Amino acid sequence: MTTEPHSLSVSGLRVAVVRKAIRNLHLGVYPPDGRVRVAVPLAVSDAAVRVAVIGRLRWIRRQQAAFAAQPREPERDMVSGESHYFLGRRYLLEVSETGDRGAVGVNVKNRRVLEMRVRPGTDAPRRAALLQRWYREQLRELVPALITKWEKRLGVSLAEWGIKRMKTKWGSCNAKARRIWLNLELAKKPLGCIEYIVVHELAHLKAKKHDDRFVKLMDEGLPQWRHTRKLLNAAPLASETWRG
């Protein structure tokens, strides 16, 4: 059972509160603007939530300051000369028009250029959609090998995985369904960051929470994961306006 979320004002902070059939209170601060959300057991009162938030005000403010300082990608017009990222590398976009429908698409031309071929009159939103489809295709090619590698190492079996745009997470795991989701934005990040998220989500098939067991799995499988997490979370945020 999950209740409808409601908001509290605590020391000038807007805090979203949702009650679930869980045992412990979970407080999170989420990108891109430091939104505060608290998930609590059904019986926990708003007064107790206020106490918990006040007790972590300094930590919340630090997280919000870090998000505020995090660089943002500039707005994209999807024209030649713009910078776009793929697997952590910066490329210059080169747009050309073609009358051949079969030639429409995106490809890495060399170590500097991301070539986009479009039909005449294709506007910026459709160009952006074309690039997003290409990013999705690249992840579809890269991720299966990582999943196979880490299923074996972690001793887990995944039933399903997918890619979608996510506002506050790089990935998510439904342990019961043995399904993971990966954020489409990962296509812009270094391969090591993509691998870290794959390992992170697969580890949740064994350890649902970020507890000692989870940390042990990560330390044994990917000892440098904390450094990779820091790099990933310091990367520029997408230019889109996230809502909710």
Side-chain angles (χ1 to χ4, degrees), residues 165-184:
R165 298 181 71 83
M166 289 185 271
K167 295 180 179 181
T168 62
K169 298 179 179 180
W170 291 113
S172 66
C173 175
N174 183 322
K176 184 176 181 180
R178 293 187 295 117
R179 178 176 62 243
I180 67 172
W181 288 99
L182 303 176
N183 193 327
L184 180 59

Side-chain angles (χ1 to χ4, degrees), residues 76 78 82-86 93 105-107 114-116 118 124-138 184 187-188:
R76 303 300 201 221
M78 303 306 298
E82 283 184 344
S83 294
H84 290 264
Y85 286 82
F86 174 54
L93 185 65
V106 178
N107 70 282
L114 198 62
E115 184 180 41
M116 175 181 287
V118 298
R126 285 185 289 175
R127 293 181 184 187
L130 180 63
L131 182 58
Q132 294 299 314
R133 286 197 297 272
W134 183 78
Y135 279 140
R136 188 180 297 273
E137 290 167 1
Q138 303 314 300
L184 180 59
K188 301 177 183 178

Side-chain angles (χ1 to χ4, degrees), residues 37-49:
R37 179 181 181 275
V38 183
V40 298
L42 296 170
V44 172
S45 68
D46 281 354
V49 172

Side-chain angles (χ1 to χ4, degrees), residues 1-10 13-22 24-28 30 35-54 60 244:
M1 176 181 177
T2 300
T3 65
E4 288 295 322
H6 68 283
S7 296
L8 296 176
S9 179
V10 182
L13 287 176
R14 180 177 178 270
V15 179
V17 181
V18 60
R19 287 181 169 80
K20 299 181 176 182
I22 55 178
N24 301 305
L25 180 150
H26 301 281
L27 189 154
Y30 300 99
R35 177 175 62 91
V36 181
R37 179 181 181 275
V38 183
V40 298
L42 296 170
V44 172
S45 68
D46 281 354
V49 172
R50 290 181 186 275
V51 171
V53 172
I54 290 172
I60 292 170

